[in-house]
């Protein structure tokens, strides 16, 4: 190799090194890389917003449908099966895939009913699937109950001699269970149900308070046991009311002692 050739190679090498050093020091175009990174992040965040809005819109639709469904199912005037009512609401709204019988709870109440339900479903994402999130979960829940208010119950119990022994003990247990079932002691619901107990043997003692409002005969005033008529002249059992002019027979005073309270 001649001296001129060697000088030419060294000159070319110096030229390439100079270009490489210049390229390394050149910062033009770096903003494009940053802008691309920011653009990708903006697309992901925008896609997240779009998918979340879509999911929330579907969830609101589910919640509104569920609220209407449980209100209709708990309505005491509605004689249809509550679960069928809830499912029908979701089917008519195009949300049948989000509801089934296993998500509906029906609780019978005294003089009422309670219906609760839950709905959930996966909403397919339009953008987030690109980052590994194929769907978002939408959930809703609600319940409703309706009861008849201001109920008056008269519990008539037999305390005659035929109830001696275990029968009177069983009657006390059954009466206590009945009371716990029908009387609601929850705060704010006092007075919804009232129960009066009427013990009887062969006759019924109406008590002095009620006796003062009934036209009893004047044979005696020792007891307030009454006898109502059911014969050809008058039928006292054909109505629940006792008229102010209705004459009521007062029974003779007598006393049983069966050895128990």
């Amino acid at each position: 190799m001649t001296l001129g050739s060697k000088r030419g190679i060294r000159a070319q090498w110096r030229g390439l090194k100079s270009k490489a050093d210049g390229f390394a020091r050149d910062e033009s175009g770096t903003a494009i890389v940053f802008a691309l990174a920011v653009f990708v992040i903006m697309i992901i965040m925008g896609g997240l917003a779009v998918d979340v809005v879509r999911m929330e819109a579907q969830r609101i639709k589910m919640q509104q449908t569920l609220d209407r469904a449980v209100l209709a199912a708990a309505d005491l005037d509605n004689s249809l099966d509550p679960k069928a009512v809830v499912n029908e609401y979701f089917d008519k709204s195009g949300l049948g895939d989000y509801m089934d019988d296993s998500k509906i709870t029906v609780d019978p109440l005294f003089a009422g009913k309670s219906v609760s339900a839950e709905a959930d479903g996966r909403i397919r994402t339009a953008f987030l699937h690109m980052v590994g999130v194929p769907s978002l979960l939408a959930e809703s829940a609600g319940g409703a109950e309706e009861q008849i208010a201001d109920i008056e119950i008269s519990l008539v119990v037999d305390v005659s001699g035929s109830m001696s022994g275990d029968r009177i003990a069983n009657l006390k247990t059954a009466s206590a269970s009945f009371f716990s079932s029908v009387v609601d002691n929850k705060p704010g619901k006092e007075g919804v149900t009232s129960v009066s107990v009427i013990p009887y043997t062969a006759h019924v003692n109406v008590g002095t308070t009620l006796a003062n409002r009934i036209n009893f005969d004047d044979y005696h005033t020792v007891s307030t046991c009454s006898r109502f008529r059911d014969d050809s002249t008058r039928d006292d059992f054909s109505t629940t009311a006792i008229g102010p002019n209705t004459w009521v027979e007062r029974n003779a005073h007598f006393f049983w002692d069966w050895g128990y309270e």
Side-chain angles (χ1 to χ4, degrees):
M1 180 181 296
T2 63
L3 181 59
S5 298
K6 292 180 179 181
R7 290 178 178 175
I9 293 174
R10 284 197 292 268
Q12 291 178 359
W13 173 253
R14 285 194 296 269
L16 290 174
K17 184 175 182 301
S18 177
K19 291 180 180 180
D21 292 340
F23 179 78
R25 291 191 299 268
D26 188 4
E27 297 181 356
S28 61
T30 55
I32 296 177
V33 177
F34 176 75
L36 289 174
V38 171
F39 181 70
V40 172
I41 294 174
M42 291 176 61
I43 291 178
I44 295 174
M45 296 302 295
L48 171 64
V50 171
D51 285 333
V52 169
V53 168
R54 291 177 59 249
M55 182 273 292
E56 183 63 14
Q58 189 75 340
R59 189 200 66 79
I60 292 174
K61 183 179 180 180
M62 290 166 54
Q63 186 66 57
Q64 292 175 340
T65 303
L66 189 146
D67 291 341
R68 293 194 302 268
V70 295
L71 284 172
D75 187 355
L76 295 180
D77 293 330
N78 190 346
S79 60
L80 300 176
D81 177 55
K83 292 186 176 182
V85 172
V86 175
N87 283 320
E88 185 71 12
Y89 265 79
F90 273 77
D91 289 339
K92 294 298 184 181
S93 299
L95 302 172
D97 293 339
Y98 303 130
M99 178 59 67
D100 56 57
D101 287 353
S102 64
K103 301 176 183 178
I104 307 171
T105 302
V106 180
D107 294 322
L109 306 174
F110 177 75
K113 61 180 174 179
S114 173
V115 181
S116 59
E118 297 179 357
D120 58 75
R122 290 282 176 178
I123 310 301
R124 295 184 60 182
T125 57
F127 295 93
L128 292 183
H129 68 89
M130 293 184 292
V131 292
V133 183
S135 62
L136 295 175
L137 179 63
E139 297 178 297
S140 61
E145 72 175 50
E146 183 177 1
Q147 288 183 279
I148 299 175
D150 300 327
I151 302 173
E152 298 180 0
I153 300 174
S154 294
L155 178 62
V156 183
V157 293
D158 183 1
V159 295
S160 63
S162 63
M163 296 296 292
S164 61
D166 293 338
R167 294 181 179 179
I168 195 67
N170 293 335
L171 175 62
K172 292 179 179 180
T173 302
S175 299
S177 177
F178 175 78
F179 271 101
S180 63
S181 298
V182 302
V183 177
D184 192 349
N185 293 321
K186 295 180 180 179
K189 291 189 177 182
E190 296 84 354
V192 174
T193 303
S194 63
V195 181
S196 60
V197 180
I198 305 173
Y200 76 94
T201 53
H203 307 87
V204 175
N205 187 342
V206 299
T208 56
T209 300
L210 186 58
N212 292 330
R213 299 179 179 274
I214 296 178
N215 293 325
F216 271 118
D217 58 45
D218 297 328
Y219 293 142
H220 67 85
T221 58
V222 178
S223 69
T224 54
C225 291
S226 58
R227 183 190 299 276
F228 294 96
R229 300 177 60 178
D230 181 13
D231 51 34
S232 58
T233 59
R234 195 174 76 193
D235 181 10
D236 292 334
F237 299 96
S238 62
T239 177
T240 58
I242 302 176
N245 299 321
T246 301
W247 175 78
V248 178
E249 179 183 355
R250 189 192 303 266
N251 285 338
H253 177 59
F254 48 90
F255 176 73
W256 287 281
D257 184 4
W258 297 101
Y260 59 84
E261 295 180 357

